[in-house]
């Protein structure tokens, strides 16, 4: 990756920019992580410093609560493997995976971080403060490729956990629907969803493009409607494809 020393920021929707390098001690910023902004108009901003992993026990982030007018430097006890994710409603709640697979959570906008789990592959916020994440047991190599991941859920920000599924490849959360993928030959594409229903396209066995779509709805008590699409190939090209079948949990 490459760092950016000149760090311009705009507070007027891009009409003008000003250099903030002096506010972050002229630190190189990780280009692939970019500038992270909180949900809505929270004015919370996070920049990730470019620090060598071998020479430092953890990375550095710069947090701002005034849209970049000032920044606070925070030394992390780990190195980021991905950009930090804000909670969709509360910008104080942050979650991220470290390079060694740790799932780290902060409840005070990055000031203090707590490792809540190890061996983490991916995560997503659910409803409220529910957090879903997949993980593999210690010492497991490429568990995601073999469908050996576990799926857990915490409803109290990492204090307690519930195992939701096991032997999965991946998972997703759309609206009020949680789905997991297990080994099979069908191809599914989740097209859209909300808290009451989810719409997906289903290919024929073997991965050939099919003409079947399914609508799963809470009000239908776990049943589904099937409808033939005349332009299914167009929808597939616009969808996020999963190469494994998706099992829904409501």
């Amino acid at each position: 990756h490459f760092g950016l020393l000149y760090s311009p920021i705009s507070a007027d929707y891009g009409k003008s920019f000003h250099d903030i390098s002096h506010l972050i001690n002229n630190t190189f910023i990780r280009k692939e992580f970019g500038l992270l902004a909180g949900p809505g108009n929270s004015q919370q901003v996070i920049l990730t410093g470019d620090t060598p992993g071998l020479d430092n026990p953890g990375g550095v982030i710069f947090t701002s609560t005034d849209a970049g007018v000032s920044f606070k430097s925070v030394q992390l006890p780990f190195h980021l493997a991905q950009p930090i994710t804000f909670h969709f409603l509360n910008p104080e709640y942050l979650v991220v995976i470290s390079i060694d697979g740790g799932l780290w959570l902060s409840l005070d906008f990055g000031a203090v971080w707590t490792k809540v789990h190890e061996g983490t592959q991916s995560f997503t916020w659910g409803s409220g403060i529910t957090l879903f994440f997949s993980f593999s047991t210690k010492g497991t190599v490429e568990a995601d490729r073999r469908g050996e991941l576990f799926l857990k859920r915490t409803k109290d920000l990492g204090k307690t956990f519930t195992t939701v599924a096991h032997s999965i490849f991946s998972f997703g959360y759309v609206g009020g629907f949680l789905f997991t993928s297990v080994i099979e030959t069908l191809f599914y594409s989740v097209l859209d969803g909300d808290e009451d229903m989810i719409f997906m396209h289903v290919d024929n066995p073997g991965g050939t493009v099919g003409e079947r779509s399914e609508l799963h709805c809470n009000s239908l008590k776990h049943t589904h409607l099937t409808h033939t699409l005349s332009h299914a190939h167009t929808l597939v090209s616009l969808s996020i494809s999963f190469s494994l079948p998706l099992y829904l949990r409501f």
Side-chain angles (χ1 to χ4, degrees), residues 52-63:
L54 296 178
D55 301 328
N56 299 280
V60 175
I61 60 173
F62 298 91
T63 60

Side-chain angles (χ1 to χ4, degrees), residues 191-206:
L191 304 176
D192 201 359
D194 58 23
E195 293 185 357
D196 295 313
M197 64 182 64
I198 188 170
F199 180 59
M200 64 175 64
H201 174 76
V202 186
D203 279 358
N204 294 324

Side-chain angles (χ1 to χ4, degrees), residues 143-228:
D144 56 330
R145 294 180 178 270
R146 297 194 303 271
E148 297 177 356
L149 293 177
F150 292 82
L151 177 61
K152 277 189 176 182
R153 174 189 66 210
T154 175
K155 292 184 175 182
D156 50 16
L157 300 173
K159 296 178 181 178
T160 60
F161 301 95
T162 300
T163 299
V164 178
H166 59 86
S167 301
I168 69 171
F169 283 81
S170 60
F171 78 99
Y173 185 86
V174 177
F177 293 80
L178 173 69
F179 49 88
T180 62
S181 59
V182 298
I183 186 167
E184 282 290 349
T185 58
L186 292 178
F187 287 75
Y188 282 64
S189 303
V190 178
L191 304 176
D192 201 359
D194 58 23
E195 293 185 357
D196 295 313
M197 64 182 64
I198 188 170
F199 180 59
M200 64 175 64
H201 174 76
V202 186
D203 279 358
N204 294 324
T208 58
V209 176
E211 295 184 348
R212 181 162 60 97
S213 62
E214 296 181 357
L215 178 67
H216 295 259
C217 183
N218 274 340
S219 62
L220 298 178
K221 299 184 183 300
H222 303 269
T223 61
H224 67 268
L225 303 176
T226 301
H227 178 65
T228 299

Side-chain angles (χ1 to χ4, degrees), residues 45-120:
V45 176
I46 298 176
L47 296 174
T48 303
D50 188 8
T51 54
L54 296 178
D55 301 328
N56 299 280
V60 175
I61 60 173
F62 298 91
T63 60
S64 173
T65 57
D66 51 18
V69 176
S70 62
F71 281 90
K72 175 185 177 181
S73 175
V74 179
Q75 177 67 52
L76 301 177
F78 58 91
H79 287 281
L80 300 173
Q82 59 183 208
I84 294 171
T85 298
F86 285 88
H87 185 272
F88 54 91
L89 292 178
N90 189 341
E92 295 291 312
Y93 294 170
L94 307 176
V95 63
V96 73
I97 297 176
S98 59
I99 59 175
D100 59 356
L103 182 65
W104 292 81
L105 186 67
S106 174
L107 305 181
D108 52 10
F109 190 47
V112 178
W113 291 86
T114 302
K115 181 192 285 189
V116 297
H117 211 277
E118 296 182 342
T120 313

